């Protein structure tokens, strides 16, 4: 298969965007193009633009976002499509970028993930996110993402002995990492002793969905991230020869039952496992080869459960690994060096691309204080719905 | 490049859907699978599902439609993404299906186009469609698709001598074709003598955007269409060996200025021309090889203008060709044998896939009373925005 890699990355500051949605998406895209330093100029090098976004239409009343980005950045007549797969829209767009180049139709693809979520608040915000649930069996009855996460967390507590303190350990690690990331939404030094099981039960951290409280959830963020993909055999010719080529070694995605209640084992995240297996197989690597991972911690339990499903830790031991500090930047298996969704923020469609941007930085050795020494192979898991559509990506510089 | 073709087609009756949106999409998908007659059953043959839809989120409050279809049809763990490119979402999804197989990542891809538009009416319906226009320079000021079509029609009248009667000739032809299509939204025998320039100026056909009146527009339809794509080298192994293989010989797409007012020559549809050129080049054919075409006649002038841009007739003569009957089923260059958007209906995201379904029928010789004798090579143009993002597809059985 044709070798495809990343030669440019871009990332806005996550949080509340100071500029309109379209400008924010274009900002990330321009950064990725500048980072790649296309000597041939911006026009006519990029064959295709994919934008990953869940709710540009629903929230921003903008459809055809991909066309708008192409025109604003003067990339005409590049091909352009918008890709939607809920919170996994970003990784899906990267996967399609890979396919577009591997197919031979394109040589260079710009992938942008973008979401503007802070335009809506409260009930309305929870509602548009919940449209990713099953339209007949779930959404109609008012079930939300946090309610699924609460149920899932409780099941893992009962089955594996995960504690509220373990959840807080994940939060503390990710907030510490985010303090080292200039693009993170929330920079707060959170000390574990201040958020013991007793401490969190108070009015400033209200219960959302038992056992989860407000600060167990990722924040609501605006944000955009972008990557420039190129065929290895065209890297030189297109003017990207000076950039370190971070190879997309594997892409995988998989679906699980859309109706969460239909799953045989409700603590399993089958689509995480299958998407990772597909990506491992394509890349010819296994969990033992992964030096750093970005996992989809919209809720802390997901980081723990995903770390098991992708084989980084045996089943039921992810929380023990977190307790032992194994998932810290200088632990044996660093996870979410970026700060993760919990602290870096989670602009739905941007997240999957943001994860790739962090991993490219790690593999280039450009992660600064967050650098995992000698990282060569990396894994990202981007989680759509409540695990009903998951995308895995493996990058390598080996 | 790996050879990719179509072995299954499905199409719902366009109009007002009697079943919920998700069921409608699944209906088309099931028809395509049944048509392909996969002997190996429905599970595990399909690697990827792409759904082309513009407004499942905005209108139906369903995001992650692709995941919902996969689960409903028991296709798990197939990969699934939703593709959005306004009214060209369908052809974009087919293009990505082509890429997914050509890349070697997939062997078999199900592509569904679906839109439920009749859930909203009046101003709200016009508004969600208008979100495809430029968010800052057009949408905010209340401009709509019909208003662009009115301006464009007037310019073509002034420049090329197109008359209202010419527009009606396109309508009459497409309504006649639709009467032969069981899946068409509108079946009405429209006689030219009853819609002369004088006749149309009356209260039952009110002015919408000068010079266009209500019956110059396509109707607002619900509908879904589906195609099953397979790699030629896997057709036998996957159990589709008995089906006639309709090859996707060329795919192309292109963007034009998102802001229509920025176009150098406002009567040019540059993205139509460029997307067709790309598809012709990939297919190794030219306009002279096309036996039958489906063009995007959301407004009659578009059928005329597109027929020129893709090279079927010299510039400024498309309306003359229509006058002379050349574009009728038994004319020298049949266009919109299905009834076109004007009469078959135009459920936005479904249209691009619906066009492909019609052309597959023509190339298989299964078009019944609409059959173009001996058709071997076919072209579809699916038009997004007001021509700011267009996709072309060329099919052949040669």
């Amino acid at each position: 298969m044709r070798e495809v890699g990343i030669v440019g990355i871009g990332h806005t500051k996550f949080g509340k965007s100071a500029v309109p949605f379209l400008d924010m998406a274009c900002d990330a895209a321009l950064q990725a193009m500048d980072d790649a330093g296309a000597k041939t100029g911006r026009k006519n090098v990029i064959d295709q633009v994919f934008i990953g976004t869940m709710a540009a239409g629903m929230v921003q009343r903008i459809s055809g976002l991909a066309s708008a980005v192409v025109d604003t950045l003067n990339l005409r007549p590049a091909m352009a499509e918008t890709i939607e797969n809920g919170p996994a829209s970003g990784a899906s767009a990267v996967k399609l970028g890979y396919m577009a180049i591997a197919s031979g139709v394109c040589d260079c693809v710009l992938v942008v993930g973008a979401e503007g979520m802070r335009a809506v608040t409260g009930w309305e915000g929870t509602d548009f996110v919940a449209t990713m649930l099953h339209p007949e069996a779930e959404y109609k009855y008012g079930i939300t993402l946090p309610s699924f996460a609460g149920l899932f967390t409780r099941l893992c507590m009962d089955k594996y002995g995960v504690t509220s303190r373990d959840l807080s350990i994940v939060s503390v690690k990710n907030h510490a990492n985010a303090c080292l990331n200039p693009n993170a939404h929330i920079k707060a030094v959170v000390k574990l002793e201040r958020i013991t099981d007793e401490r969190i039960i108070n009015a400033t951290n209200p219960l959302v969905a038992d056992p989860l409280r407000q600060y167990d959830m990722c924040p609501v963020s605006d944000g955009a991230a972008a990557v420039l993909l190129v065929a290895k055999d065209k890297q030189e010719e297109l003017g990207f020869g000076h950039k370190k080529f971070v190879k997309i070694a594997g892409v995988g995605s998989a679906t699980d039952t859309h109706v969460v209640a239909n799953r045989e084992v409700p603590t399993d995240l089958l689509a995480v496992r299958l998407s990772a297996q597909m990506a491992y197989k394509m890349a010819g690597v296994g969990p033992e080869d992964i030096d750093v991972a970005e996992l989809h911690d919209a809720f802390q339990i997901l980081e723990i459960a995903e770390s098991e499903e992708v084989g980084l830790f045996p089943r039921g031991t992810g929380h023990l690994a977190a307790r032992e500090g194994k998932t810290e930047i200088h632990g044996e298996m660093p996870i979410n060096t970026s700060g993760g969704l919990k602290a870096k923020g989670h602009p739905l469609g941007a997240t999957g691309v943001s994860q790739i941007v962090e991993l490219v930085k790690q593999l280039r050795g450009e992660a600064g204080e967050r650098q995992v020494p000698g990282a060569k192979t990396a894994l990202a898991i981007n989680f759509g719905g409540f695990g009903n559509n998951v995308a895995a990506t493996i990058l390598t510089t080996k």
Side-chain angles (χ1 to χ4, degrees), chain A residues 74-141:
Chain A
N74 206 15
L75 299 174
R76 283 174 288 113
M79 305 192 279
E81 269 91 14
T82 303
I83 311 301
E84 193 265 308
N85 180 19
S89 297
S92 281
V94 172
K95 182 185 84 170
L96 296 185
Y98 174 89
M99 287 175 171
I101 294 175
S103 73
V105 176
C106 300
D107 294 327
C108 183
V109 175
L110 174 67
V111 179
V112 184
E115 209 76 61
M117 300 178 70
R118 296 190 68 93
V120 291
T121 51
W123 176 85
E124 209 186 331
T126 305
D127 180 66
F128 94 78
V129 174
T131 61
M132 74 178 79
L133 301 178
H134 193 284
E136 304 294 332
E138 295 173 339
Y139 175 70
K140 275 187 174 172
Y141 298 99

Side-chain angles (χ1 to χ4, degrees), chain A residues 284-333:
Chain A
V285 302
E288 64 282 3
D289 298 302
I290 303 301
D291 299 315
V292 57
E294 290 281 305
L295 303 182
H296 192 106
D297 61 323
F299 310 98
Q300 307 116 325
I301 193 67
L302 292 183
E303 177 176 315
I304 293 169
E306 290 168 19
S307 73
E308 299 167 7
E309 290 285 8
V310 304
L312 299 178
F313 304 112
R315 184 170 296 279
T317 69
H319 63 293
L320 303 176
R323 271 186 211 170
E324 293 163 14
K326 287 181 179 173
T327 58
E328 293 172 8
I329 289 176
H330 296 288
E332 61 186 60
M333 184 59 249

Side-chain angles (χ1 to χ4, degrees), chain A residues 205-224:
Chain A
N205 191 15
L207 197 67
V208 174
D210 182 72
L212 301 179
R213 292 174 173 273
Q214 183 174 328
Y215 295 129
D216 293 315
M217 322 265 159
C218 63
V220 173
S221 315
D222 299 331

